[in-house]
Amino acid sequence: MKFKVGDQVKFLNEPGGGVVSKIISTSMVSVAIEDGFDIPILSSELLKIEKQEHSGELFREDFKVELTHSPAESENEEYDRISSLGKFTNQGIADPGIYLTYHPHDQKWLVTGMLDIYIINNTSADILFSLFLWNSGKEQYNGIDYGSLLPHSKYLFETISHEQINHWIKGSVQLLFHKEQALQLLAPVSSDFSIKSSRFVQESAYQDAAFLDGKSFLVKLSDIPVLQEPEQEKPVTEPPQVIAQKAVKAREEQLIDKYMTSREEA
């Protein structure tokens, strides 16, 4: 179900509910509850309260929640998930490629804090991507997100807690590469990943990367070579003598035109 900021929702797996305060991604929202906190929760774990419908009357509750920002501001944040890569250290991983990255919010608490999950395009090509996560309960893949990404940039899928990591340890990412000019074409990629959840509580599993600020858990989805650019055609230049001759001829033609015009006027 698709939600928007301001919707009243009921929690499916626990008592209570609240008001949608922010759209985090296509599958997760932030819900403001009466205690004054905003909590991230999967959309699949919420029921939207439709007051006009019979189901809305069954679950109707008046949640006394005040949003700290306007719905328009929150909806705009949904599209503010793309950012450029930086250059932070010479010691970390710098290989060109496509990465799935679990980046801790707080570098002091690598194995306990919130995680930003990115797809990273550390190549000189544009990419189209599609993310699928494996749902072990239903034995099927769920389409999570898709989009496009410019060279040397990253896209935020979700911000999750470590308690939610089991939803993100197995899946597949499909990739398509595009470049306006290239000496070689890259084949589409379908990259499966499967990670043991126990690895996320090992600080040694988090590594430095030259394109990220701080340590991250990195999964390389595609290892591609540096794409070479075609040589640009050099402009054809004429010898100086030819250029000078053309200039003299053009000047002569101007003088002749001027002379003929003056005679006609006379």
Side-chain angles (χ1 to χ4, degrees):
M1 178 179 292
K2 188 173 182 179
F3 297 96
K4 64 179 183 296
V5 174
D7 283 345
Q8 282 200 352
V9 293
K10 182 86 173 177
F11 300 138
L12 292 177
N13 299 326
E14 57 185 282
V19 177
V20 175
S21 60
K22 178 181 178 182
I23 307 298
I24 297 176
S25 73
T26 54
S27 61
M28 178 171 283
V29 300
S30 182
V31 176
I33 59 178
E34 292 184 357
D35 294 340
F37 296 101
D38 283 27
I39 58 173
I41 188 167
L42 291 171
S43 302
S44 58
E45 298 178 3
L46 296 173
L47 174 67
K48 183 178 178 181
I49 299 176
E50 301 285 359
K51 295 183 178 180
Q52 296 82 1
E53 298 179 0
H54 180 62
S55 60
E57 293 300 324
L58 292 176
F59 296 101
R60 184 170 181 175
E61 295 183 27
D62 291 324
F63 299 112
K64 298 177 181 179
V65 176
E66 292 186 4
L67 300 183
T68 58
H69 40 259
S70 69
E73 290 175 348
S74 298
E75 289 174 352
N76 287 337
E77 292 176 4
E78 181 181 1
Y79 305 98
D80 191 22
R81 294 192 282 160
I82 298 176
S83 55
S84 299
L85 298 178
K87 294 183 179 180
F88 296 97
T89 174
N90 294 325
Q91 302 301 319
I93 296 171
D95 298 339
I98 311 298
Y99 297 83
L100 183 66
T101 303
Y102 303 75
H103 188 69
H105 274 203
D106 192 337
Q107 292 290 301
K108 295 180 181 179
W109 308 101
L110 296 177
V111 300
T112 57
M114 301 293 288
L115 295 168
D116 286 333
I117 302 179
Y118 291 101
I119 184 171
I120 288 179
N121 179 12
N122 191 34
T123 77
S124 59
D126 296 350
I127 65 168
L128 302 176
F129 63 84
S130 237
L131 170 67
F132 300 86
L133 294 180
W134 177 250
N135 186 329
S136 57
K138 295 185 177 181
E139 295 292 316
Q140 66 181 28
Y141 283 100
N142 292 338
I144 301 300
D145 208 343
Y146 61 91
S148 60
L149 198 53
L150 294 173
H152 305 292
S153 59
K154 61 183 184 292
Y155 177 90
L156 177 64
F157 283 129
E158 294 275 7
T159 298
I160 67 168
S161 65
H162 270 267
E163 289 73 20
Q164 297 169 305
I165 198 66
N166 285 333
H167 295 293
W168 291 85
I169 59 177
K170 185 175 181 180
S172 183
V173 178
Q174 296 179 339
L175 301 167
L176 187 65
F177 300 90
H178 173 77
K179 200 170 179 63
E180 290 187 2
Q181 295 180 342
L183 296 178
Q184 67 214 88
L185 295 179
L186 296 176
V189 171
S190 184
S191 180
D192 297 331
F193 62 92
S194 182
I195 312 164
K196 292 182 178 180
S197 58
S198 59
R199 294 196 62 196
F200 289 95
V201 297
Q202 302 172 10
E203 290 195 3
S204 59
Y206 296 81
Q207 307 173 69
D208 284 314
F211 41 77
L212 287 175
D213 186 13
K215 293 181 180 293
S216 299
F217 190 103
L218 297 170
V219 178
K220 199 166 194 179
L221 300 172
S222 176
D223 189 1
I224 68 172
V226 177
L227 296 176
Q228 297 180 348
E229 303 284 349
E231 292 186 4
Q232 298 294 327
E233 294 184 2
K234 297 181 179 180
V236 178
T237 57
E238 297 177 319
Q241 299 90 335
V242 175
I243 295 175
Q245 290 174 359
K246 288 185 176 180
V248 170
K249 185 176 182 180
R251 180 58 179 167
E252 290 177 348
E253 291 176 351
Q254 289 178 353
L255 292 174
I256 293 173
D257 289 341
K258 186 177 180 180
Y259 174 73
M260 295 299 295
T261 300
S262 62
R263 289 197 59 183
E264 290 175 357
E265 292 177 352

Coordinates of all heavy atoms in Angstrom, one line a residue, residues 125-130 147 149 174-178 186-189:
A125 N 30.2 5.4 -16.1 CA 28.9 5.1 -16.9 C 27.7 5.4 -16.1 O 27.7 5.3 -14.8 CB 28.9 3.7 -17.4
D126 N 26.6 5.8 -16.7 CA 25.3 5.8 -16.1 C 24.8 4.4 -15.9 O 25.2 3.5 -16.7 CB 24.3 6.6 -17.0 CG 24.6 8.0 -17.2 OD1 25.6 8.5 -16.5 OD2 24.0 8.7 -18.0
I127 N 24.0 4.2 -14.9 CA 23.5 2.8 -14.7 C 22.0 2.9 -14.4 O 21.4 3.9 -13.9 CB 24.1 2.1 -13.5 CG1 23.8 2.8 -12.2 CG2 25.6 1.9 -13.7 CD1 24.2 1.9 -10.9
L128 N 21.3 1.9 -14.9 CA 19.9 1.6 -14.5 C 19.9 0.4 -13.5 O 20.7 -0.5 -13.8 CB 19.0 1.3 -15.7 CG 19.0 2.3 -16.8 CD1 18.1 1.8 -18.0 CD2 18.4 3.6 -16.3
F129 N 19.2 0.5 -12.4 CA 19.3 -0.6 -11.4 C 17.9 -1.0 -11.0 O 16.9 -0.2 -11.0 CB 20.1 -0.1 -10.2 CG 19.5 1.0 -9.5 CD1 18.5 0.8 -8.5 CD2 19.9 2.3 -9.7 CE1 18.0 1.9 -7.8 CE2 19.4 3.4 -9.0 CZ 18.4 3.2 -8.1
S130 N 17.8 -2.2 -10.5 CA 16.6 -2.8 -9.9 C 17.0 -3.7 -8.7 O 17.9 -4.5 -8.9 CB 15.9 -3.7 -10.9 OG 14.6 -3.2 -11.2
G147 N 15.7 2.5 -10.4 CA 16.0 3.9 -10.8 C 17.2 4.0 -11.7 O 17.7 3.0 -12.2
L149 N 21.2 6.1 -12.0 CA 22.2 6.7 -11.2 C 23.4 7.2 -12.1 O 23.9 6.5 -13.0 CB 22.8 5.7 -10.2 CG 23.5 6.3 -9.0 CD1 22.8 7.4 -8.3 CD2 23.9 5.1 -8.0
Q174 N 19.9 -6.0 -10.4 CA 20.1 -6.1 -11.8 C 20.6 -4.7 -12.3 O 20.0 -3.7 -11.9 CB 18.8 -6.5 -12.5 CG 18.3 -7.9 -12.2 CD 17.0 -8.2 -12.9 OE1 16.2 -7.4 -13.3 NE2 16.7 -9.5 -13.0
L175 N 21.5 -4.7 -13.2 CA 22.2 -3.5 -13.7 C 22.3 -3.4 -15.2 O 22.5 -4.4 -15.9 CB 23.6 -3.4 -13.1 CG 23.8 -3.5 -11.6 CD1 25.2 -3.8 -11.2 CD2 23.3 -2.2 -11.0
L176 N 22.1 -2.2 -15.7 CA 22.3 -2.0 -17.1 C 23.2 -0.7 -17.2 O 22.9 0.3 -16.6 CB 21.0 -1.7 -17.8 CG 21.0 -1.6 -19.3 CD1 21.4 -2.9 -20.0 CD2 19.6 -1.3 -19.8
F177 N 24.2 -0.7 -18.1 CA 25.2 0.4 -18.2 C 24.9 1.2 -19.5 O 24.6 0.6 -20.5 CB 26.6 -0.2 -18.2 CG 27.0 -1.0 -17.0 CD1 26.8 -2.3 -16.9 CD2 27.5 -0.3 -15.9 CE1 27.1 -3.0 -15.8 CE2 27.9 -1.0 -14.7 CZ 27.6 -2.4 -14.7
H178 N 25.1 2.5 -19.4 CA 24.9 3.3 -20.5 C 26.0 4.4 -20.6 O 26.4 5.0 -19.5 CB 23.6 4.0 -20.5 CG 23.4 5.1 -21.5 ND1 23.1 4.7 -22.9 CD2 23.5 6.4 -21.5 CE1 23.0 5.8 -23.6 NE2 23.3 6.9 -22.8
L186 N 29.3 -2.8 -22.1 CA 29.3 -3.7 -21.0 C 28.0 -4.5 -21.0 O 26.9 -3.9 -21.2 CB 29.4 -2.9 -19.7 CG 30.7 -2.1 -19.5 CD1 30.7 -1.3 -18.3 CD2 31.9 -3.1 -19.4
A187 N 28.0 -5.8 -20.7 CA 26.8 -6.6 -20.7 C 26.0 -6.3 -19.5 O 26.5 -5.9 -18.4 CB 27.2 -8.1 -20.7
P188 N 24.7 -6.5 -19.5 CA 23.8 -6.3 -18.3 C 24.3 -7.3 -17.3 O 24.8 -8.4 -17.6 CB 22.4 -6.7 -18.9 CG 22.5 -6.4 -20.3 CD 23.9 -6.7 -20.7
V189 N 24.1 -6.9 -16.0 CA 24.5 -7.7 -14.9 C 23.3 -8.1 -14.0 O 22.5 -7.2 -13.7 CB 25.6 -7.0 -14.1 CG1 25.9 -7.7 -12.8 CG2 26.9 -6.8 -14.9

